[in-house]
Amino acid sequence: MAQSAPARVAVTDPALSLSYGQLDARANALAQRLQTLGVGPGVRVGVCHDRAAINVVGLLAILKAGAAYVAMDPGHPEARLQFILRDAEVPVLLADRATIELLGSTSAELLDLEQEQMLLEPSGDLAETLVNADDPAYVIYTSGSTGSPKGVQVSHGNLLSLVDWHHQAFAVEPTDRASVVANPAFDASVWELWPYLTAGAEVHIPASNIAVMPERLRDWLVATRITLSFVPTPLAETLLDLPWPDDVALRCMLTGGDVLHRRPRSGTPFALVNNYGVAEGTVVSTSGLVAPDTEAGDPPGIGRPITGTRLYVLDADARPVGAGDEGELYIGGAAVAMGYLNRPGLTAERFLSDPFASDAHARMYRTGDLVRCTAGDEYEFLGRLDTQVQVRGQRVELAEIAAVLNSHPTVARCEVVGRETEPGNLRLIAYVVASAGQPVDREDLRNHASKQLPGYMVPNAFVELESLPLTSNGKIDRDALPAPERAVTGTEAVGTPVEMAVAAMLAELLELSAIGPHDDFFELGVHSLMAAQLLVRIEERFDVELPMLAVFEHPTAAGIAAAIAQDLSPQPSVAG
């Protein structure tokens, strides 16, 4: 498209719009810069930047240089970002200025992505780099059961399989306008970009204060005339409840990442397609159109295998189960990823030889997901065979959270569980046994977790126990763990005008009549998406941009009001 229609819009965000010709030229210039730093096949380059057109330039430049990109979230704690840089052995990191300042101690070469774009000009054609289908295209980090995140390596062949299926399944044309809503470090972002850019379609990126607010996202999708949009399951369910104009350009809303609990209403002016997948299977493994609501009220399934993917439902001995019986899902075919970076033991455990394929070298991935194949060859997701949970589209290993909390000096032992208080609202509960003579400070534990874990992995509630209940064979009896006490809101409390304004914002998000200025947000049920929505409202009301960490460090209306006051207070001048 850069040659045949260079003026056609490729990617646009609120601050920048790039044609295919401009995107190609900028990516070529940056790729040349990367090559001077030794970047090429076999090298992994980090990208840590918010959703933006300039981020797409960075991703494309890395691929053009023949390297693989490592997607990172600038909103994650420094400790997690530093771990990924070390684990992936990243020699160069493309990032924004704030991330570069945060990671000043890293051994990687730090390049300001926006500054590089202003300084660089392409000097001739980019030297052609030979890349094979088996070479890595990107690495995406997911939660790890050993206490640290693990990197999934995905090849160019894996990615091409996804792109080819998507083109055919959704009849993607250059006239299409697609959205990028997912976080860049969430593997769905891969799906939001490459199928459209390779088809010559337009990719549109909404502002961050739009992407987390359902009503605004709906209005943006309508106004921008988006035709194809992926929306994570929890957000999609909220969007389905909103009214939509009949003349909306959106023809298909794609969703996935969590269990879908509802169907579109009759008369919804676009199709809803539910998808299931794992990073180890290159984003999508099954896909299916969701029929409108029926009186039967049966929950939606996860669809059928996509082109190039084979699914097996096997018992504990890896033998096929009978028709309609439940079993563990194994994924085979062209989308099975290369394995885990620097984790040969775990790779051997989860990526197995495929005995059902004609190719002796074929592999299959053991998902740990419990499913059933119905008479109509539709698959139903039934749950997990282990303690892994899904939190707003992200797969979370509870053992990773427990490992972080167990590193706190006041904790002797900790267990973390996920409890679904209502369909689609999973709360993470940490059960803590204190070290001898040590008090458990819930706020201190939350701060400790928030400095090492992404916001969606920080427990919502902490329950102190004298000991963890055990089964007869000495394992933790999760069924015997008590539910956390229901938080009682201090609605009678009186606070400052700013405190009460913040409390009112949160009460509206929680659908409560009122909360008090000293009520703990997380004990009331606040999760990371809701915290992001609160910060957007605070920015609009007070013209103050607070970081997500502020919510974890000061999880009350009074605490947030103090942070707002500090931000608004006059800064002392520095004499020159």
Side-chain angles (χ1 to χ4, degrees):
M1 192 60 66
Q3 281 74 43
S4 61
R8 184 186 293 276
V9 172
V11 58
T12 182
D13 65 26
L16 178 65
S17 180
L18 296 175
S19 69
Y20 273 92
Q22 292 169 326
L23 174 61
D24 189 58
R26 290 194 181 206
N28 282 343
L30 184 54
Q32 290 171 347
R33 170 82 162 104
L34 292 173
Q35 288 176 335
T36 65
L37 297 173
V39 170
V43 175
R44 292 176 290 272
V45 178
V47 182
C48 192
H49 199 284
D50 287 326
R51 292 174 305 104
I54 202 71
N55 191 52
V56 179
V57 173
L59 299 177
L60 183 57
I62 294 168
L63 296 179
K64 279 176 171 283
Y69 68 81
V70 181
M72 301 166 65
D73 183 349
H76 283 179
E78 178 190 1
R80 193 176 189 85
L81 298 179
Q82 293 280 19
F83 172 85
I84 293 174
L85 291 174
R86 293 192 303 271
D87 188 67
E89 299 174 302
V90 169
V92 181
L93 174 67
L94 302 174
D96 57 21
R97 174 52 53 185
T99 302
I100 289 174
E101 292 175 355
L102 179 70
L103 298 175
S105 60
T106 182
S107 61
E109 178 95 17
L110 301 176
L111 299 183
D112 185 333
L113 188 50
E114 297 185 15
Q115 186 68 22
E116 288 293 320
Q117 286 299 294
M118 288 189 290
L119 295 178
L120 287 176
E121 291 291 339
S123 54
D125 293 333
L126 180 68
E128 187 172 327
T129 303
L130 180 63
V131 176
N132 297 313
D134 294 335
D135 288 336
Y138 68 87
V139 178
I140 203 88
Y141 273 80
T142 65
S143 181
S145 59
T146 59
S148 300
K150 57 185 185 295
V152 181
Q153 289 199 96
V154 178
S155 72
H156 283 273
N158 298 147
L159 181 55
L160 182 60
S161 177
L162 174 72
V163 168
D164 285 346
W165 162 74
H166 189 89
H167 285 173
Q168 297 171 20
F170 302 105
V172 182
E173 299 287 345
T175 53
D176 275 311
R177 299 161 70 92
S179 65
V180 174
V181 175
N183 184 292
F186 181 23
D187 68 338
S189 63
V190 172
W191 192 23
E192 291 180 297
L193 277 180
W194 306 120
Y196 301 112
L197 291 178
T198 52
E202 294 183 18
V203 172
H204 292 259
I205 304 174
S208 57
N209 62 357
I210 289 176
V212 298
M213 306 293 282
E215 293 86 356
R216 293 182 191 170
L217 181 57
R218 175 205 55 193
D219 295 344
W220 179 84
L221 290 169
V222 172
T224 313
R225 299 198 62 77
I226 298 297
T227 58
L228 290 162
S229 178
F230 168 80
V231 182
T233 305
L235 194 52
E237 290 185 326
T238 304
L239 288 171
L240 289 175
D241 287 338
L242 300 178
W244 289 78
D246 293 333
D247 62 345
V248 62
L250 185 67
R251 72 171 192 270
C252 188
M253 179 182 289
L254 311 173
T255 192
D258 213 330
V259 177
L260 182 64
H261 298 91
R262 67 190 69 178
R263 296 173 177 271
R265 293 191 296 262
S266 179
T268 298
F270 52 82
L272 178 69
V273 176
N274 193 27
N275 304 272
Y276 160 90
V278 292
E280 295 85 347
T282 316
V283 191
V284 183
S285 297
T286 69
S287 183
L289 181 68
V290 180
D293 240 335
T294 63
E295 292 184 4
D298 52 318
I302 57 175
R304 296 182 173 89
I306 70 171
T307 303
T309 294
R310 298 185 301 273
L311 298 186
Y312 313 115
V313 184
L314 309 180
D315 63 16
D317 296 316
R319 298 174 302 191
V321 303
D325 291 341
E326 61 184 45
E328 183 176 359
L329 180 65
Y330 290 67
I331 300 171
V336 177
M338 301 171 66
Y340 297 116
L341 183 64
N342 301 326
R343 305 286 193 282
L346 185 59
T347 297
E349 177 186 330
R350 308 302 295 187
F351 292 85
L352 310 173
S353 176
D354 185 348
F356 310 103
S358 56
D359 182 358
H361 301 289
R363 297 175 310 138
M364 61 182 185
Y365 173 70
R366 182 178 186 179
T367 68
D369 288 335
L370 191 66
V371 301
R372 176 193 299 119
C373 185
T374 66
D377 290 331
E378 290 265 354
Y379 285 77
E380 295 178 357
F381 178 85
L382 304 176
R384 287 290 299 178
L385 293 169
D386 56 19
T387 61
Q388 186 189 89
V389 297
Q390 289 179 302
V391 181
R392 287 173 291 287
Q394 301 277 12
R395 288 179 176 250
V396 171
E397 298 284 359
L398 297 176
E400 182 179 356
I401 305 173
V404 168
L405 293 173
N406 278 319
S407 69
H408 193 280
T410 67
V411 175
R413 195 173 182 188
C414 173
E415 186 73 9
V416 180
V417 303
R419 293 184 182 272
E420 196 169 48
T421 55
E422 59 186 54
N425 186 16
L426 185 103
R427 301 186 71 206
L428 297 175
I429 315 298
Y431 294 89
V432 179
V433 177
S435 299
Q438 295 283 351
V440 171
D441 185 327
R442 290 173 172 80
E443 186 171 336
D444 188 39
L445 286 179
R446 186 178 291 122
N447 288 341
H448 177 73
S450 67
K451 290 176 181 176
Q452 300 180 66
L453 299 170
Y456 61 85
M457 291 178 66
V458 177
N460 301 93
F462 294 84
V463 178
E464 185 176 358
L465 299 175
E466 292 186 1
S467 63
L468 295 174
L470 303 177
T471 62
S472 57
N473 60 8
K475 295 184 177 180
I476 294 175
D477 187 352
R478 290 171 166 263
D479 293 335
L481 291 169
E485 294 182 6
R486 182 72 177 175
V488 179
T489 62
T491 54
E492 76 288 347
V494 177
T496 67
V498 176
E499 289 174 352
M500 298 314 293
V502 173
M505 293 176 193
L506 191 60
E508 183 178 358
L509 289 170
L510 288 166
E511 297 182 350
L512 296 173
S513 59
I515 67 171
H518 300 287
D519 291 331
D520 188 293
F521 292 169
F522 297 100
E523 292 182 3
L524 293 173
V526 168
H527 49 67
S528 56
L529 177 60
M530 197 176 293
Q533 294 170 341
L534 174 64
L535 293 176
V536 168
R537 297 187 180 196
I538 288 172
E539 183 179 357
E540 292 177 340
R541 174 73 180 271
F542 299 105
D543 195 25
V544 168
E545 188 174 349
L546 297 178
M548 179 67 76
L549 188 60
V551 180
F552 292 103
E553 292 179 338
H554 314 288
T556 66
I560 293 296
I564 292 171
Q566 182 176 4
D567 194 279
L568 291 175
S569 62
Q571 300 300 313
S573 60
V574 179

